[in-house]
Amino acid sequence: MNTLDKLIKMANQIGTFFESFPDREEALDGIATHLKKFWTPAMRQTLVTALDANQADGLNAIVTLAITKHRANIIATSKQ
């Protein structure tokens, strides 16, 4: 399993957790917040780049939607 496959697997696990939320917007926000908070900028960028290149095969629809909706925040890096 390569790095991208591992990232997709982890993202899908996050998506599965949030998919059970009755409020879809809360679920999408939760996925994006989790990615931003717990993933490194390189991990997030790899996933977004793969999605942009149509190479994120197997990425769950809810994760794709969360990344698309919150793209700017997900790929932004903090200046500290």
Side-chain angles (χ1 to χ4, degrees):
M1 183 177 283
N2 66 34
T3 300
L4 179 58
D5 291 336
K6 290 176 186 174
L7 293 175
I8 289 170
K9 181 180 178 181
M10 290 189 304
N12 285 343
Q13 289 170 332
I14 295 162
T16 297
F17 171 80
F18 283 103
E19 200 162 32
S20 66
F21 281 38
D23 183 332
R24 185 74 161 180
E25 291 304 312
E26 183 181 7
L28 298 175
D29 293 347
I31 293 167
T33 298
H34 185 94
L35 293 175
K36 179 70 177 183
K37 198 172 189 181
F38 298 108
W39 284 32
T40 67
M43 292 167 70
R44 296 190 312 261
Q45 188 61 56
T46 297
L47 190 59
V48 169
T49 299
L51 186 61
D52 289 348
N54 293 318
Q55 296 175 341
D57 298 331
L59 192 62
N60 289 349
I62 192 168
V63 179
T64 300
L65 187 56
I67 292 171
T68 302
K69 181 176 181 192
H70 296 283
R71 176 190 174 88
N73 187 44
I74 290 171
I75 62 173
T77 56
S78 301
K79 307 259 192 247
Q80 295 179 0

